[in-house]
Amino acid sequence: LEGQQKLAEARVLVIGAGGLGSPVLLYLAAAGIGHIGIVDNDRVDVSNLQRQVIHSTAEVGEPKVESAKNRLLALNPNLKISTFDLQFSPEHVDLIFQETWDVVVDGTDNLPTRYLIDDVCFLKNTPWVYGSIYRFEGQVSVFNVQDGPCYRDLFPEPPPPNSIPSCEQGGVLGVLPGVVGSLQANEAIKIILGIGEVLAGRLLIYDAEAMNFQTLTFSANSDRPTVKD
Protein backbone atom coordinates (compact mmCIF):
# COMPACT_ATOMS: atom_id res chain seq x y z
CA LEU A 1 0.00 0.00 0.00
CA GLU A 2 2.84 2.41 0.82
CA GLY A 3 4.51 1.75 -2.52
CA GLN A 4 1.26 2.17 -4.43
CA GLN A 5 0.77 5.53 -2.72
CA LYS A 6 4.22 6.63 -3.89
CA LEU A 7 3.31 5.67 -7.45
CA ALA A 8 0.03 7.56 -7.22
CA GLU A 9 1.87 10.69 -6.11
CA ALA A 10 4.62 10.38 -8.73
CA ARG A 11 4.98 12.64 -11.77
CA VAL A 12 6.76 11.14 -14.78
CA LEU A 13 7.57 12.92 -18.04
CA VAL A 14 7.89 10.70 -21.13
CA ILE A 15 9.56 12.36 -24.10
CA GLY A 16 8.39 10.55 -27.22
CA ALA A 17 5.20 8.55 -27.78
CA GLY A 18 6.57 6.21 -30.42
CA GLY A 19 8.22 2.79 -30.25
CA LEU A 20 9.85 3.19 -26.84
CA GLY A 21 7.26 5.58 -25.44
CA SER A 22 4.42 3.15 -26.17
CA PRO A 23 5.36 0.40 -23.66
CA VAL A 24 6.74 2.95 -21.20
CA LEU A 25 3.46 4.87 -21.14
CA LEU A 26 1.27 1.78 -21.00
CA TYR A 27 3.15 0.17 -18.12
CA LEU A 28 3.49 3.37 -16.12
CA ALA A 29 -0.24 4.02 -16.43
CA ALA A 30 -1.07 0.42 -15.54
CA ALA A 31 1.27 0.60 -12.53
CA GLY A 32 -0.72 3.51 -11.11
CA ILE A 33 1.54 6.50 -11.77
CA GLY A 34 -0.57 9.52 -10.80
CA HIS A 35 0.58 12.12 -13.33
CA ILE A 36 2.18 11.46 -16.71
CA GLY A 37 3.47 14.07 -19.14
CA ILE A 38 3.78 13.22 -22.84
CA VAL A 39 5.96 15.19 -25.27
CA ASP A 40 5.72 14.49 -29.02
CA ASN A 41 5.01 16.64 -32.06
CA ASP A 42 4.49 13.79 -34.52
CA ARG A 43 1.33 12.26 -35.99
CA VAL A 44 0.28 8.60 -35.99
CA ASP A 45 1.39 6.89 -39.20
CA VAL A 46 0.33 3.42 -40.34
CA SER A 47 3.97 2.52 -41.15
CA ASN A 48 4.89 2.85 -37.46
CA LEU A 49 2.23 0.63 -35.97
CA GLN A 50 4.34 -2.56 -35.95
CA ARG A 51 6.27 -1.06 -33.02
CA GLN A 52 4.22 1.87 -31.72
CA VAL A 53 1.63 -0.31 -30.04
CA ILE A 54 -0.10 2.42 -28.05
CA HIS A 55 -1.66 3.66 -31.30
CA SER A 56 -4.02 1.98 -33.78
CA THR A 57 -5.21 2.40 -37.35
CA ALA A 58 -8.20 4.37 -36.07
CA GLU A 59 -5.86 7.16 -34.92
CA VAL A 60 -3.78 7.46 -38.12
CA GLY A 61 -3.18 11.14 -38.78
CA GLU A 62 -3.95 12.23 -35.22
CA PRO A 63 -1.36 13.81 -32.91
CA LYS A 64 0.48 11.08 -31.07
CA VAL A 65 0.05 12.84 -27.74
CA GLU A 66 -3.74 12.78 -28.10
CA SER A 67 -3.85 9.20 -29.33
CA ALA A 68 -1.63 8.11 -26.42
CA LYS A 69 -3.65 10.12 -23.92
CA ASN A 70 -6.93 8.49 -25.01
CA ARG A 71 -5.41 5.01 -24.79
CA LEU A 72 -4.00 5.64 -21.31
CA LEU A 73 -7.28 7.05 -20.00
CA ALA A 74 -9.07 3.98 -21.31
CA LEU A 75 -6.60 1.91 -19.27
CA ASN A 76 -6.61 4.13 -16.18
CA PRO A 77 -9.35 6.80 -16.06
CA ASN A 78 -7.96 8.24 -12.80
CA LEU A 79 -4.69 9.19 -14.46
CA LYS A 80 -3.74 12.86 -14.82
CA ILE A 81 -2.09 13.54 -18.19
CA SER A 82 -0.31 16.63 -19.47
CA THR A 83 0.28 16.67 -23.23
CA PHE A 84 2.82 18.75 -25.13
CA ASP A 85 2.26 18.58 -28.89
CA LEU A 86 5.65 20.08 -29.64
CA GLN A 87 9.27 19.18 -30.14
CA PHE A 88 11.48 18.87 -27.07
CA SER A 89 13.76 21.79 -27.88
CA PRO A 90 15.47 24.59 -25.93
CA GLU A 91 12.66 27.08 -26.59
CA HIS A 92 10.06 24.69 -25.12
CA VAL A 93 11.95 23.48 -22.03
CA ASP A 94 10.59 26.17 -19.69
CA LEU A 95 7.00 25.41 -20.73
CA ILE A 96 7.39 21.66 -20.25
CA PHE A 97 9.16 22.08 -16.91
CA GLN A 98 6.67 24.56 -15.48
CA GLU A 99 5.55 21.44 -13.67
CA THR A 100 7.93 19.46 -11.49
CA TRP A 101 8.76 15.99 -12.75
CA ASP A 102 10.15 13.26 -10.49
CA VAL A 103 11.55 11.17 -13.35
CA VAL A 104 12.05 11.75 -17.06
CA VAL A 105 11.98 8.85 -19.53
CA ASP A 106 13.66 9.14 -22.92
CA GLY A 107 11.59 7.71 -25.77
CA THR A 108 13.32 9.66 -28.53
CA ASP A 109 15.34 8.51 -31.52
CA ASN A 110 17.73 11.38 -32.13
CA LEU A 111 20.96 12.36 -30.42
CA PRO A 112 20.54 16.16 -30.10
CA THR A 113 17.37 15.63 -28.08
CA ARG A 114 19.15 13.17 -25.76
CA TYR A 115 21.92 15.63 -25.05
CA LEU A 116 19.32 18.29 -24.32
CA ILE A 117 17.45 15.92 -21.98
CA ASP A 118 20.71 15.21 -20.17
CA ASP A 119 21.59 18.88 -19.77
CA VAL A 120 18.11 19.88 -18.56
CA CYS A 121 17.88 16.99 -16.10
CA PHE A 122 21.38 17.72 -14.82
CA LEU A 123 20.50 21.35 -14.14
CA LYS A 124 17.16 20.44 -12.53
CA ASN A 125 18.62 17.51 -10.57
CA THR A 126 16.09 15.13 -12.10
CA PRO A 127 16.87 11.46 -12.79
CA TRP A 128 16.18 10.18 -16.27
CA VAL A 129 15.95 6.79 -17.91
CA TYR A 130 17.69 6.34 -21.25
CA GLY A 131 16.71 3.85 -23.93
CA SER A 132 17.77 3.41 -27.52
CA ILE A 133 17.08 0.86 -30.25
CA TYR A 134 18.63 0.02 -33.61
CA ARG A 135 17.88 -3.04 -35.72
CA PHE A 136 18.33 -5.93 -33.21
CA GLU A 137 20.10 -4.05 -30.42
CA GLY A 138 18.77 -2.03 -27.51
CA GLN A 139 20.39 -0.08 -24.70
CA VAL A 140 19.12 1.06 -21.30
CA SER A 141 20.71 3.13 -18.54
CA VAL A 142 19.77 5.58 -15.79
CA PHE A 143 21.40 8.97 -15.43
CA ASN A 144 21.61 11.67 -12.77
CA VAL A 145 20.53 9.53 -9.84
CA GLN A 146 21.99 10.59 -6.48
CA ASP A 147 24.88 12.46 -8.14
CA GLY A 148 25.60 9.47 -10.36
CA PRO A 149 26.92 9.65 -13.94
CA CYS A 150 25.16 11.54 -16.73
CA TYR A 151 24.71 10.79 -20.42
CA ARG A 152 27.63 13.06 -21.28
CA ASP A 153 29.82 10.97 -18.98
CA LEU A 154 29.09 7.93 -21.15
CA PHE A 155 29.05 9.77 -24.50
CA PRO A 156 31.03 13.01 -23.99
CA GLU A 157 30.83 14.20 -27.60
CA PRO A 158 28.02 13.76 -30.13
CA PRO A 159 29.02 11.82 -33.27
CA PRO A 160 29.05 13.66 -36.61
CA PRO A 161 25.58 14.61 -37.94
CA ASN A 162 23.78 11.84 -39.84
CA SER A 163 26.44 9.27 -38.86
CA ILE A 164 23.90 7.20 -36.92
CA PRO A 165 20.65 6.41 -38.76
CA SER A 166 17.28 6.68 -37.06
CA CYS A 167 14.95 3.69 -36.61
CA GLU A 168 13.07 4.77 -39.71
CA GLN A 169 16.28 4.86 -41.74
CA GLY A 170 18.05 1.83 -40.32
CA GLY A 171 15.12 -0.37 -39.40
CA VAL A 172 14.28 -2.06 -36.13
CA LEU A 173 12.81 -5.39 -35.06
CA GLY A 174 9.21 -4.56 -34.15
CA VAL A 175 9.25 -6.22 -30.72
CA LEU A 176 12.61 -4.71 -29.68
CA PRO A 177 11.17 -1.40 -28.38
CA GLY A 178 8.67 -3.44 -26.37
CA VAL A 179 11.51 -5.14 -24.51
CA VAL A 180 13.59 -1.98 -24.05
CA GLY A 181 10.61 0.21 -23.15
CA SER A 182 9.49 -2.31 -20.53
CA LEU A 183 12.96 -2.21 -18.99
CA GLN A 184 12.80 1.60 -18.95
CA ALA A 185 9.43 1.54 -17.19
CA ASN A 186 10.88 -0.91 -14.68
CA GLU A 187 13.77 1.45 -13.89
CA ALA A 188 11.43 4.44 -13.55
CA ILE A 189 9.25 2.55 -11.07
CA LYS A 190 12.33 1.46 -9.07
CA ILE A 191 13.50 5.07 -8.85
CA ILE A 192 10.10 6.21 -7.59
CA LEU A 193 9.84 3.42 -5.04
CA GLY A 194 13.50 3.58 -3.99
CA ILE A 195 13.94 -0.16 -4.40
CA GLY A 196 16.57 -2.40 -5.93
CA GLU A 197 19.63 -1.28 -7.85
CA VAL A 198 18.90 1.01 -10.77
CA LEU A 199 21.14 1.08 -13.84
CA ALA A 200 23.14 4.10 -12.68
CA GLY A 201 26.73 3.82 -13.91
CA ARG A 202 25.76 0.75 -15.92
CA LEU A 203 24.78 0.40 -19.57
CA LEU A 204 22.59 -2.61 -20.30
CA ILE A 205 22.97 -3.86 -23.89
CA TYR A 206 20.38 -6.26 -25.29
CA ASP A 207 20.96 -8.25 -28.48
CA ALA A 208 17.59 -9.61 -29.61
CA GLU A 209 19.12 -11.66 -32.44
CA ALA A 210 21.56 -13.52 -30.17
CA MET A 211 19.21 -13.29 -27.15
CA ASN A 212 22.03 -11.89 -25.05
CA PHE A 213 22.33 -9.28 -22.30
CA GLN A 214 25.58 -7.52 -21.43
CA THR A 215 26.31 -4.82 -18.85
CA LEU A 216 29.08 -2.26 -19.17
CA THR A 217 30.07 -0.01 -16.26
CA PHE A 218 31.11 3.63 -16.45
CA SER A 219 31.70 6.46 -14.00
CA ALA A 220 31.15 10.20 -13.72
CA ASN A 221 33.54 12.54 -15.48
CA SER A 222 35.43 14.50 -12.84
CA ASP A 223 35.80 17.44 -15.26
CA ARG A 224 32.08 17.98 -15.50
CA PRO A 225 30.77 20.94 -13.45
CA THR A 226 28.96 19.93 -10.27
CA VAL A 227 27.24 23.22 -9.44
CA LYS A 228 23.58 23.14 -10.43
CA ASP A 229 21.94 26.53 -10.83
Side-chain angles (χ1 to χ4, degrees):
L1 184 60
E2 180 184 352
Q4 203 64 54
Q5 187 63 37
K6 288 182 180 179
L7 294 175
E9 295 171 354
R11 305 160 63 87
V12 180
L13 179 68
V14 180
I15 303 175
L20 290 173
S22 289
V24 169
L25 289 164
L26 288 167
Y27 277 111
L28 292 181
I33 298 296
H35 187 175
I36 294 178
I38 311 172
V39 182
D40 201 308
N41 68 332
D42 203 359
R43 301 293 181 266
V44 179
D45 190 287
V46 69
S47 65
N48 302 144
L49 297 181
Q50 93 282 8
R51 66 184 186 277
Q52 299 182 7
V53 294
I54 200 170
H55 311 295
S56 71
T57 54
E59 285 81 42
V60 169
E62 292 187 11
K64 284 184 180 178
V65 291
E66 294 303 320
S67 171
K69 177 180 179 179
N70 293 335
R71 178 67 181 88
L72 296 184
L73 290 176
L75 180 65
N76 180 358
N78 297 317
L79 181 63
K80 180 179 179 181
I81 301 178
S82 298
T83 58
F84 303 91
D85 186 8
L86 44 80
Q87 185 178 13
F88 190 80
S89 57
E91 59 266 30
H92 297 138
V93 165
D94 288 342
L95 172 63
I96 295 169
F97 279 83
Q98 280 182 345
E99 303 184 59
T100 300
W101 303 104
D102 300 311
V103 181
V104 174
V105 182
D106 162 40
T108 66
D109 65 352
N110 71 86
L111 293 173
T113 303
R114 284 202 189 107
Y115 281 95
L116 178 59
I117 293 171
D118 191 53
D119 292 341
V120 171
C121 288
F122 178 77
L123 291 172
K124 294 186 176 295
N125 199 27
T126 303
W128 70 281
V129 183
Y130 156 75
S132 71
I133 50 175
Y134 177 66
R135 302 196 69 184
F136 296 97
E137 183 180 290
Q139 299 180 355
V140 184
S141 190
V142 174
F143 300 111
N144 205 43
V145 174
Q146 297 177 346
D147 295 322
C150 297
Y151 184 75
R152 287 184 182 272
D153 294 322
L154 180 60
F155 302 109
E157 298 293 335
N162 302 318
S163 63
I164 299 178
S166 66
C167 289
E168 185 175 355
Q169 296 167 330
V172 64
L173 181 67
V175 300
L176 178 62
V179 176
V180 174
S182 298
L183 293 170
Q184 287 181 276
N186 182 63
E187 293 302 291
I189 290 170
K190 285 161 59 182
I191 292 170
I192 293 165
L193 296 179
I195 61 172
E197 296 183 19
V198 299
L199 284 168
R202 294 184 292 155
L203 178 67
L204 181 69
I205 302 173
Y206 169 57
D207 185 336
E209 196 171 24
M211 201 54 204
N212 178 287
F213 284 91
Q214 298 181 60
T215 305
L216 307 179
T217 60
F218 60 97
S219 58
N221 182 355
S222 59
D223 296 330
R224 178 159 186 160
T226 57
V227 177
K228 300 174 183 178
D229 300 323

